[in-house]
Amino acid sequence: MNGVHPINTDSRYIIWLLDFLARKGVDIESLSRIHQLTDLERLDISISGATHRALLSDALQLTGESGLGLKLGYQRSLATYDQLAYLIMSCATLREATEKGLKYQNYPGRFSGNAIITTFSEIDGQGCYQVSVKEDLEELRLLAVEDLLSNIMTTARWVLGQPLPVTQLRCDYPEPPHVEDYRAIFNCPMQFDTPVIQLFFDAAILDQPLPNASPQSARLYASVCEEKSIARQGGNVAWRLWQLIVKDPANPPDMTDAAQALCCSTRTLHRKLQSEGWQYQQLIDQIREIHASRVLSDPTLSVTQVALQLGYSDHSGFLKAFKKWTGLTPTDFRTKLWGPQQPIGLGRS
């Protein structure tokens, strides 16, 4: 989403973050005073998005660690995810856990589901987590992305009872000075300066039974996450619309149908979207951009097939839209992924 209304962060995470920084030698008492972090022992307390960002900015400066985000994500405590952690661990398979985790990715607060959107697809026998980032993160962008990527590895280990079998990592930024930390965490071939952020793994593991599967527990925790996800968004209309549109980006509901689904009038929906910094078509375009980048990464699909998946009957219409979204043509996008020697059999038209 566009980050106009930063999501509050649960106090559980802030407590853990302060303990983490204390182990790095940071004076957390002074830091807490500066950011007025009081009553953290009350679990119903939430921390504003602005305070969270300021705290992370200070953490970067005080630790002097360029790879702080990787360490935050890889070492994060399971307790910081509250009921969402129990939900994904209770799922029958990694496929189900991924579906539930991404549906409620806004649940923990912080950046997920707001400034950062994670999506999933299967591409040529591999699972692929794709990370899309809005530019309002500024100096915290790298930290937030690294936090999310390394936490995928940690979460998968919790869920699977073994490491995620990663096969490739693509990052849309230059190789960082702490690249050795990447090798230790992901242990796979890596590309930097690509047009998209993607983490690939062997899809064979998606449907293997999980060690802690419990269907009844999963249903219980899913209902709790549904309720709290909506509450933590403060009724965020853009997020709720996202859930409707992403089901079929080629055929999104019109404003009238969307308003009916959200139990409000078209006028009210338009007004609420505007207050959150959105136009309805802008939201549809963002979802289509994310979907297009993901599907274009599949070498078995032609550009025409991708255009049809997104509801463009006119090939040139998709080319124009994709260039507007990314600054690249679909062919240029693929060239940046694979180089001039693109995979054999890749359809270009």
Side-chain angles (χ1 to χ4, degrees), residues 24-83:
K24 296 287 184 182
V26 174
D27 182 352
I28 61 171
E29 290 187 7
S30 296
L31 201 60
S32 296
R33 284 196 300 271
I34 292 171
H35 296 289
Q36 299 180 342
L37 298 174
T38 59
D39 296 328
L40 288 179
E41 66 276 6
R42 289 177 52 193
L43 296 182
D44 60 337
I45 294 294
S46 63
I47 309 302
S48 73
T51 297
H52 173 225
R53 291 188 182 207
L55 185 60
L56 288 177
S57 292
D58 283 352
L60 274 174
Q61 183 176 5
L62 292 170
T63 63
E65 294 190 20
S66 62
L68 183 64
L70 283 179
K71 295 180 176 65
L72 284 172
Y74 200 63
Q75 298 178 33
R76 179 174 302 159
S77 167
L78 179 64
T80 64
Y81 280 93
D82 194 23
Q83 307 295 338

